[in-house]
Amino acid sequence: MAPRLPLSLTLAAALTLGGGLAASGALFLGVSHLEYDNMALGFAQRADERVAAVRQGIDQAVEVLTVTNQLFARGEPVSREHFRDFTAALLQRHRYIQAFNVHRTVPGDQRAAVERELQRIRPGTVFTELQAQGLVAAPPRARYHIVDFIEPMAGNERAFGLNAGENLQVMSALAIARGEGRAAATDLFQLAQDERKQPAFSLVMPVLDRDGTLAGDTAIVIRGPELVRASLAATGLLDPREGSSEIFVSVYAGDGASPANLLFSTGDTSKPEQGWLAGFLAPGQPGHASKLLRIAGKPWRIEVASAPRPFLHDHMASTALLVGGILMTLLGTAFVQASGQRARKVQQLVRQRTADLRRTNRRLVEDMAARERAERALQQSEQRFRQLVSMSSDWYWEQDRDLRFTMVTGGFTEKAGVAVEAVLGKTRWEHAPALLETEAGRAHIAQVKAHEPFANLEYKVVDAQGDTRWFCVNGQPVFDEHGELLGYRGTGSDITERKLTEQRVHHVAQHDVLTGLPNRSLLQDRLGQAIAYANRSGRPMWVMLIDLDRFKFVNDSMGHKAGDVLLMTVAARLTGSLRDTDTVARLSGDEFVVILSEHHDEPLSPEIVQRVMDSVAQPVMLGTKEFFVTCSIGVAVYPSEGTPADSLIEHADIAMYSAKKMGRNNFQFYTPAMNEESLERVRIESALRNALERNEFVLHYQPQVDLKTGQIVGMEALLRWKHPELGMVPPGRFIGIAEETGLIVQIGAWVMRTACAQNKAWQDAGLGRLRVAVNLSARQFGAADLVASLESVLLDTMLDPDCLEIELTESLFMSDVTPAVDLLHRMKSLGVNLSIDDFGTGYSSLSYLSRFPIDVLKIDRSFVADITVDANDAAIVTSIIALAHNLKLAVIAEGVETLEQLDYLRSHGCDEMQGYFFSKPLAAEEFEQLLVQRKALPPPRQTKPEPAPETAPEIAEA
C-alpha cells in the first residue's frame, strides 16, 4: 500500500498561506477603491460636461428668442421682409428651430381688418384654432392672440393666423414670461408637421406697448431632440472617446423622470441594480447622476448613466494583483511546506520574497497614483481647451512672438472666405492693411506690441471673391515661465451679416418703408445741407410741399392697397421729373417735400413746379380702373423776407393750403399775407376748442310754415358762436375748421341735445306741437354710435321722435350707398323724420330716393331765388315738387324772400316754406314771442302775382 500523504500544513506554511491571501485581498480592495475613485471622477466630469452642454443649448435658444424679441420691444415698426431677413440667418445657424412666431393681440372688432391684412400675405388666411377635431376657423371672441409673423412660411402655413389665446400651454408660459420679465417655455407637445413625431416645445417672450399693455409676444418652436443632439454634438459628446465607457443621457422637460416629459434619450439612464460583489467592492457604484436645472421658467431634469461594462474592464490592475498575489501565496506556501526542514533558509527566503512583494506593491501603488495625477492633468488640460473653444463662435488662431500667424483652425476658409495660406506668416495689419489707416486699428497695433490682451476688435478684409467681409477677434498674450512673450492666441468670428443688418437698419431708419424716399429724419439733414449751400453760393433754394388731391377718395373707394400703389407711383414720378441732385422725401400720409437748389447753369423757375404737377397728373391704373390724381403745391423760397431757414417747411405748408383753397390742382408761392390767414385759422381753432366749455354757442331758430294753413309747424336750429372778443362769428368762419379738426362731433351733439330740449320746453309751455330740424355733419354721420346717441337724446329730453327732423346732405352717403341705406333705416326705426337738405345741388342719382327712408325734400335757395324770372329754375322747382309728391314726400322751400316766390310755391303745391319773407333766424326768446303771438302767413292772393323784379336782395343765412 502506498504511503498516505500528509494533509495538514505546517504552521509556517499555514501562516504563509493566510498572510499571503490576506495581503492579496487587502491590496486588491485598496487598488479597487483607487480604481473606483478614478471611475467616479471621470464619470462626474463627463456627466457635468453633458449637463453643461444641454444648459448651454437651451440658454442659446433663449438668447435667440431674446434677440428676436428686441426687434419688437423697441416699439418701432418691423416689416415682414426685415423679419424674414433677420430670422433667415438664425434658422440657418440653429437648425433645431421649427419656426419663429410673432403673436399679435387683436380685439374682436378688428378681426375682419386683420384677416384682410393677413390675406394679402397668404390668400385665404382666416383666424383658426386647434381643437379636438383639428384646425378649425376661430369662433367670435372678444380678443384673439394670433400668429401674425411666422418664418419660415414653408411647412408652417397652417399656423399663420392661428389663435393661441385658447392654448393653455402658450398662455401659461406667456404669463410666466411676463411675470419674470424673461423667456418662458411651454410643456412638450408633438409637431403635427414633423413626420418623426418628435417632442417639441415653445419659448415665448411678451411684447408690451409703451403703456405696459400686452401687445403680443415673440416665440420660437423648437424640436427638442434636435436641440439636445446639436448641443451635445457641438462639444463632441455624442462620439465615444477611446478608452472611456459609453455614456447615456436623458433629458426631461420637468422635475420628474416621467416618460411623458422625456425630451431626448440616448439609452436607459435608470439607476442600475448593484450585485453583491459590486456593492462590496465599490459601494455607491458611480454609474448614474441626476441634475435638476431651471431655465426659461421651468425645471429640466438631466439623467446621465454609464452603460454596463465587464468588471475586468475597469479593474484589470486590482484583479491582476489579486491573481498574482494568490499565485505567489500558493507558490510560497508550497515552497515553505516542501522546505519545512530548512526552516531558516525558507524563512529567510519568505522574508525576501515578502519584501520583494511589498516593494512590488508599493511600486504598483505609486504607479496608480502617478496615473491618477496624469489623468487629472489631462482632464484639466482638456477642460481648458474646451473653455477656450467655447469662447469662439467660429475659429481659433495662434501667433508667434513676432505677431505672425502660425495656425488658424475651425473652418476659417469656409467661414471667412479667405484661404489660410493667405494669412499664415503675416501680421494682422499685413493681412488687413486698412487697420493702419484707422484710429482703432493703430490703437490695436500699439496694444499688441505692448503685450496686452484685446477683445472685440472689428475690422474688414476682402475675400477671394472680392467681397468685403467683417471679422471680430479676441486675443490673449502667452508668456513662458520667465515672463517672455511666446505669442498670442485667440478666437475670431465672421460678423458680416451683422454689419449688413446694421446698414439695413440704418437705411430703414432714414427712409420711408413704402416709397423708399428719405423720411422726415433724413429730410432735415438734407434741408440743412441745402441751406448751407445756399448761404455759401449766394443762390436761392426752394422747398416744395406737395399734397395729393382726392387721395382719401382713392383710399376709401379702392382700399389702402390701391392707396399704397398710388403713393409709390407718385414717388417714382416725382423722382423722375426732377434732377438727381434734388431731394424728394415723404413727409407723412400723402404729403411729399422737394428741396431744389439753384446752380449756375440751372436757374429755378415756376416751370419746374408746373413740370412736377404735370407728371403727377398723368393717369394711374389702379386695378382695372384709371384714376386721375392731381396735387396742390406750396413753395417757400430761401432766402426771402419773412421766411427764416427753420420755417421753410411750415411756410410751404401754408402756401399749399392756400393753393387748396383756390380750387386745388395749382401751386402758390408763400407770402407773409398767407401767414396772417394761417394765424387767423389757428386762432379760430384754438378758441373753438374751448367754446363748448365756456357756453359760447347759441342756437337761432328759423320758422318753417305750412303753406296751406299759414301756421308755424316747425323750425330749423341754426348754430351761432358768440365769442367774447371776436363777437358773433359767422358759421362760415368756423364750421369748416370744426369739420377738419373733428370738433364738429361734440358741437353737433350739443346742438342736437339743446334743440330737442328747447322744443320739448316749448311744447310743455303749450306753444304747440312743433318739429325741430337739425343738420347732421359728415363726421357725425360716420360715427359708430350715431343711432345710440340719437336714442339717448330722445330719452333724456323726453321729446317725441316724430318731433325731430334730421337734415342730411346728399354728399354724406353717396360715396358708399349700401351701408348708408342700413344706417338710415336704423335711424328711421327710432321714429324720427329724415330730410334731404339742399336737394338738387349734389352729384347723386335720383334712384336713391326709392331706397332711402326719406320724409322731406328741401329745395335749395339757389332754385327758389329766380323761380319767378327764370324758366329753368321754375321748371326744376316744379319737377322737384311733383317728384316728391309722387314718392309721398313732403317739400320745404328754402330762402323764400318775396311774396311772388311764395305765391308761385303755393300755386304749385309746395307744402312748407322758410325764409326771410316770414322771419329771419331768431334767438330762442324772440322765436318764443312769435309762437306766443301766433304769427302766420297772409292768405293766398286771388289775383295773378306780378313778375318778381330782376334782382332781389340777398339775405345771408347760415
Side-chain angles (χ1 to χ4, degrees):
M1 176 178 290
R4 294 183 61 183
L5 295 174
L7 298 179
S8 60
L9 295 173
T10 63
L11 179 60
L15 292 175
T16 301
L17 179 60
L21 292 176
S24 298
L27 290 174
F28 172 73
L29 292 177
V31 174
S32 294
H33 276 285
L34 290 175
E35 291 172 335
Y36 171 77
D37 290 340
N38 183 44
M39 291 169 55
L41 181 62
F43 175 78
Q45 178 191 3
R46 290 188 287 273
D48 289 343
E49 290 175 349
R50 285 154 176 80
V51 171
V54 174
R55 173 189 285 275
Q56 183 179 4
I58 301 176
D59 285 341
Q60 189 178 56
V62 171
E63 182 180 356
V64 170
L65 176 60
T66 303
V67 172
T68 305
N69 185 264
Q70 291 301 314
L71 279 179
F72 298 88
R74 292 194 298 263
E76 298 178 356
V78 179
S79 67
R80 298 183 184 277
E81 292 78 12
H82 183 190
F83 185 71
R84 186 181 304 114
D85 293 342
F86 180 84
T87 57
L90 296 176
L91 288 168
Q92 183 68 22
R93 176 171 293 183
H94 308 287
R95 297 186 179 274
Y96 52 79
I97 296 178
Q98 176 69 22
F100 284 85
N101 291 341
V102 178
H103 295 91
R104 191 205 322 182
T105 301
V106 178
D109 57 355
Q110 297 181 13
R111 172 176 179 173
V114 175
E115 284 185 338
R116 288 193 298 270
E117 179 183 341
L118 298 183
Q119 288 168 2
R120 289 197 294 269
I121 307 303
R122 182 173 179 263
T125 301
V126 296
F127 287 7
T128 57
E129 287 184 6
L130 190 61
Q131 298 184 0
Q133 63 270 32
L135 196 66
V136 300
R141 301 188 184 278
R143 187 171 295 275
Y144 301 88
H145 199 71
I146 58 103
V147 177
D148 188 27
F149 285 62
I150 186 167
E151 288 296 334
M153 179 66 75
N156 298 296
E157 294 88 353
R158 296 181 64 193
F160 191 55
L162 180 66
N163 177 28
E166 303 303 311
N167 190 321
L168 294 180
Q169 284 197 37
V170 174
M171 298 312 292
S172 298
L174 181 57
I176 295 173
R178 187 175 182 185
E180 296 182 356
R182 55 187 178 182
T186 65
D187 293 334
L188 296 183
F189 56 87
Q190 295 292 332
L191 285 172
Q193 60 268 46
D194 190 350
E195 297 179 357
R196 292 175 290 180
K197 301 297 182 184
Q198 57 182 322
F201 64 93
S202 290
L203 292 173
V204 298
M205 282 190 74
V207 176
L208 307 178
D209 59 19
R210 295 179 179 176
D211 297 329
T213 304
L214 181 67
D217 66 80
T218 55
I220 55 175
V221 180
I222 298 174
R223 298 185 293 271
E226 293 185 23
L227 168 63
V228 179
R229 185 175 292 107
S231 301
L232 295 175
T235 53
L237 298 178
L238 283 181
D239 301 324
R241 298 192 301 272
E242 181 179 355
S244 62
S245 62
E246 186 177 0
I247 300 297
F248 294 151
V249 180
S250 295
V251 181
Y252 298 88
D255 53 4
S258 169
N261 296 336
L262 181 61
L263 181 66
F264 174 85
S265 179
T266 58
D268 185 10
T269 57
S270 58
K271 193 169 184 179
E273 294 291 334
Q274 297 182 351
W276 69 270
L277 181 60
F280 172 76
L281 295 177
Q285 184 75 16
H288 182 272
S290 178
K291 296 287 185 179
L292 186 62
L293 309 178
R294 186 164 187 88
I295 308 174
K298 69 175 299 165
W300 306 80
R301 179 168 294 279
I302 303 175
E303 302 282 345
V304 183
S306 60
R309 295 173 57 157
F311 180 84
L312 291 179
H313 192 280
D314 296 310
H315 297 275
M316 181 63 71
S318 58
T319 303
L321 180 62
L322 177 63
V323 173
I326 292 174
L327 291 176
M328 292 178 66
T329 300
L330 292 176
L331 289 175
T333 301
F335 180 79
V336 170
Q337 181 69 16
S339 306
Q341 300 301 326
R342 297 173 294 172
R344 183 177 298 175
K345 186 175 181 179
V346 170
Q347 289 177 358
Q348 183 178 2
L349 183 59
V350 169
R351 285 196 295 271
Q352 183 179 358
R353 295 288 184 178
T354 302
D356 292 338
L357 182 59
R358 288 175 179 173
R359 285 193 298 271
T360 302
N361 290 338
R362 188 164 50 252
R363 285 195 297 270
L364 182 59
V365 171
E366 292 174 352
D367 291 340
M368 292 300 298
R371 179 180 177 182
E372 181 180 358
R373 289 193 298 271
E375 289 182 350
R376 187 180 298 111
L378 180 61
Q379 293 166 1
Q380 292 175 351
S381 176
E382 182 181 2
Q383 182 179 9
R384 285 195 301 272
F385 179 77
R386 291 189 179 279
Q387 290 174 345
L388 181 61
V389 172
S390 66
M391 292 169 53
S392 173
S393 59
D394 285 307
W395 61 77
Y396 169 77
W397 55 267
E398 290 185 359
Q399 293 176 332
D400 58 16
R401 65 178 69 249
D402 295 326
L403 306 178
R404 298 185 181 277
F405 286 102
T406 59
M407 182 181 69
V408 182
T409 63
F412 175 76
T413 301
E414 294 77 8
K415 297 173 181 177
V418 179
V420 175
E421 294 75 11
V423 178
L424 296 179
K426 296 181 179 179
T427 62
R428 195 179 310 279
W429 49 92
E430 291 174 345
H431 169 56
L435 286 172
L436 298 170
E437 302 173 0
T438 63
E439 184 177 349
R442 291 189 292 270
H444 164 70
I445 295 173
Q447 192 174 22
V448 295
K449 288 184 177 179
H451 304 168
E452 296 177 355
F454 62 90
N456 298 325
L457 172 66
E458 297 182 0
Y459 63 96
K460 60 183 178 180
V461 298
V462 178
D463 63 12
Q465 287 73 36
D467 297 328
T468 300
R469 307 289 288 267
W470 282 88
F471 298 158
C472 178
V473 295
N474 306 284
Q476 290 281 346
V478 180
F479 302 95
D480 60 13
E481 63 273 11
H482 303 296
E484 295 293 331
L485 179 70
L486 296 178
Y488 269 83
R489 62 188 176 193
T491 60
S493 59
D494 188 334
I495 60 171
T496 305
E497 288 298 327
R498 191 191 79 190
K499 285 293 185 180
L500 293 177
T501 300
E502 290 174 354
Q503 294 173 4
R504 287 193 294 268
V505 169
H506 180 72
H507 181 273
V508 169
Q510 292 194 329
H511 289 78
D512 178 54
V513 176
L514 177 65
T515 63
L517 297 177
N519 59 14
R520 187 183 297 269
S521 174
L522 185 55
L523 172 64
Q524 292 298 329
D525 180 69
R526 297 278 180 86
L527 182 59
Q529 295 178 21
I531 292 172
Y533 175 77
N535 292 332
R536 290 194 310 270
S537 64
R539 297 180 180 276
M541 54 87 62
W542 291 2
V543 173
M544 297 167 46
L545 195 143
I546 304 169
D547 185 87
L548 301 184
D549 302 328
R550 301 179 65 239
F551 177 74
K552 184 177 184 300
F553 173 77
V554 174
N555 258 355
D556 294 343
S557 60
M558 297 290 292
H560 289 285
K561 186 175 182 180
D564 291 345
V565 172
L566 176 59
L567 290 175
M568 290 187 290
T569 303
V570 170
R573 290 179 177 179
L574 291 175
T575 304
S577 65
L578 296 169
R579 302 166 300 185
D580 294 338
T581 57
D582 299 328
T583 295
V584 181
R586 184 184 178 197
L587 193 61
S588 63
D590 60 340
E591 289 186 337
F592 298 86
V593 173
V594 174
I595 301 175
L596 304 173
S597 295
E598 183 176 276
H599 302 286
H600 68 281
D601 56 343
E602 295 176 328
L604 298 179
S605 65
E607 286 74 14
I608 299 176
V609 186
Q610 187 62 50
R611 185 172 68 242
V612 171
M613 292 187 64
D614 294 341
S615 68
V616 174
Q618 297 299 316
V620 180
M621 291 300 298
L622 299 178
T624 59
K625 298 181 179 179
E626 187 177 61
F627 281 83
F628 291 86
V629 180
T630 59
C631 65
S632 300
I633 301 179
V635 185
V637 179
Y638 177 85
S640 65
E641 183 179 358
T643 304
D646 56 355
S647 300
L648 284 170
I649 295 179
E650 178 185 351
H651 286 183
D653 186 53
I654 293 173
M656 182 272 295
Y657 273 105
S658 178
K660 280 189 175 292
K661 288 183 179 179
M662 297 183 66
R664 305 175 188 269
N665 192 24
N666 69 89
F667 63 89
Q668 292 292 315
F669 282 80
Y670 171 79
T671 62
M674 294 179 182
N675 195 34
E676 292 298 328
E677 183 180 349
S678 177
L679 292 176
E680 168 69 10
R681 184 183 184 279
V682 172
R683 184 163 57 251
I684 291 293
E685 180 180 341
S686 177
L688 194 61
R689 293 186 182 276
N690 300 318
L692 269 180
E693 299 177 1
R694 297 173 179 173
N695 296 320
E696 295 175 0
F697 289 118
V698 294
L699 289 184
H700 285 195
Y701 300 90
Q702 186 170 36
Q704 293 176 337
V705 185
D706 190 302
L707 292 181
K708 292 180 180 180
T709 64
Q711 300 297 317
I712 298 174
V713 294
M715 57 279 187
E716 181 179 2
L718 300 170
L719 180 65
R720 298 292 185 266
W721 181 15
K722 190 175 182 180
H723 191 273
E725 298 176 0
L726 302 176
M728 191 65 74
V729 182
R733 288 182 64 185
F734 70 87
I735 290 297
I737 297 176
E739 284 278 0
E740 292 178 13
T741 59
L743 293 173
I744 195 66
V745 176
Q746 302 174 22
I747 296 173
W750 177 87
V751 171
M752 183 71 67
R753 186 172 295 273
T754 303
C756 290
Q758 182 64 74
N759 190 11
K760 178 62 175 175
W762 283 331
Q763 292 183 18
D764 293 343
L767 299 179
R769 185 178 177 82
L770 303 173
R771 181 184 70 249
V772 62
V774 181
N775 285 283
L776 202 65
S777 70
R779 289 288 187 99
Q780 287 177 281
F781 190 76
D785 60 344
L786 173 60
V787 177
S789 63
L790 288 176
E791 186 176 13
S792 175
V793 168
L794 293 172
L795 288 175
D796 293 344
T797 61
M798 294 185 291
L799 180 69
D800 291 339
D802 61 351
C803 293
L804 173 63
E805 181 177 297
I806 306 297
E807 291 193 1
L808 308 162
T809 60
E810 296 171 284
S811 60
L812 291 183
F813 42 77
M814 293 317 299
S815 61
D816 199 350
V817 176
T818 302
V821 172
D822 177 66
L823 178 57
L824 291 176
H825 278 283
R826 287 194 289 125
M827 294 171 61
K828 186 62 181 175
S829 67
L830 298 177
V832 300
N833 296 299
L834 301 178
S835 67
I836 300 298
D837 195 15
D838 301 333
F839 181 76
T841 61
Y843 302 96
S844 62
S845 168
L846 296 178
S847 63
Y848 70 81
L849 291 178
S850 62
R851 301 177 59 190
F852 292 167
I854 304 301
D855 301 291
V856 180
L857 294 183
K858 297 190 72 174
I859 303 176
D860 186 67
R861 62 172 54 250
S862 62
F863 300 125
V864 175
D866 296 327
I867 55 175
T868 59
V869 296
D870 189 324
N872 291 330
D873 285 350
I876 291 174
V877 171
T878 304
S879 299
I880 292 176
I881 295 173
L883 173 66
H885 287 168
N886 287 334
L887 295 175
K888 303 298 187 293
L889 304 178
V891 182
I892 299 177
E894 295 183 299
V896 179
E897 300 173 358
T898 66
L899 181 59
E900 290 75 12
Q901 294 169 352
L902 177 64
D903 290 339
Y904 184 89
L905 293 170
R906 274 176 167 170
S907 65
H908 287 84
C910 184
D911 299 302
E912 298 176 13
M913 61 78 67
Q914 69 180 78
Y916 274 48
F917 178 79
F918 184 82
S919 173
K920 67 178 182 179
L922 302 172
E925 298 81 5
E926 297 174 346
F927 187 83
E928 185 173 337
Q929 292 302 315
L930 281 184
L931 297 178
V932 172
Q933 297 169 6
R934 299 190 180 276
K935 181 179 177 180
L937 282 173
R941 295 189 297 178
Q942 299 301 322
T943 60
K944 183 178 180 180
E946 296 180 2
E950 294 184 1
T951 59
E954 294 185 358
I955 303 176
E957 176 190 353

